[in-house]
Amino acid sequence: MTTEPDTTEAQTAEPSPAVAAWRLWILLVWHPAIGLPVDPVAVLALNESQQPAERVVRWVPLVYETADPWRERLSETTTNEDIERWIQQSGGACSLEPAVIPEGALDLTHAADLVLNELLAEVIPALPPRGDG
């Protein structure tokens, strides 16, 4: 006797509508030793399902002065128009790259923390020292 597999348990879970509205970016600044804007200084997370959009910023520790260009750009609210303008201006001293929403993120803050943890554990240690350029 053969039985049909129970497809209800095998179905993959679709992301909730809240997660679908989340967007994450890695904020980058100029790395003097490399000569490109590849030095991560923060993670920016937005929940676009809310108006104004909920925003979370997680800064890389010990990069206060290095991150000044982004501190100057970020205001109390961040809009899609800001993001689009920054993408168009990428390539100079500042840049931003989209980040994937980590699996298992419980909320927007947790998602930003998970991306920051990955930067701290894998990306930043692989970069050469900043040096003088």
Side-chain angles (χ1 to χ4, degrees), residues 18 55 59 75 79-80 86 88 95 98-99 112:
R55 183 186 81 170
W59 298 98
S75 62
T79 65
N80 283 328
W86 296 334
Q88 295 299 318
S95 186

Side-chain angles (χ1 to χ4, degrees), residues 4-129:
E4 293 294 316
D6 183 5
T7 58
T8 57
E9 290 180 26
Q11 291 176 351
T12 58
E14 292 293 320
S16 72
V19 172
W22 297 353
R23 294 176 67 192
L24 281 82
W25 291 270
I26 299 170
L27 305 182
L28 307 163
V29 296
W30 191 262
H31 192 294
I34 297 175
L36 295 169
V38 296
D39 196 1
V41 294
V43 175
L44 171 65
L46 294 179
N47 180 351
E48 297 174 327
S49 69
Q50 299 178 358
Q51 292 301 322
E54 175 189 3
R55 183 186 81 170
V56 173
V57 180
R58 290 295 185 246
W59 298 98
V60 171
L62 306 174
V63 296
Y64 194 85
E65 288 181 19
T66 304
D68 277 350
W70 277 111
R71 290 184 195 284
E72 293 171 8
R73 286 182 175 194
L74 294 175
S75 62
E76 287 187 28
T77 60
T78 303
T79 65
N80 283 328
E81 292 79 23
D82 294 329
I83 299 294
E84 293 304 318
R85 184 176 68 251
W86 296 334
I87 290 170
Q88 295 299 318
Q89 296 171 350
S90 287
C94 294
S95 186
L96 69 162
E97 291 294 325
V100 175
I101 297 168
E103 275 190 48
L106 303 175
D107 57 25
L108 192 64
T109 300
H110 187 228
D113 287 341
L114 291 172
V115 172
L116 178 62
N117 289 343
E118 185 175 341
L119 290 174
L120 293 172
E122 297 180 21
V123 176
I124 293 171
L127 291 172

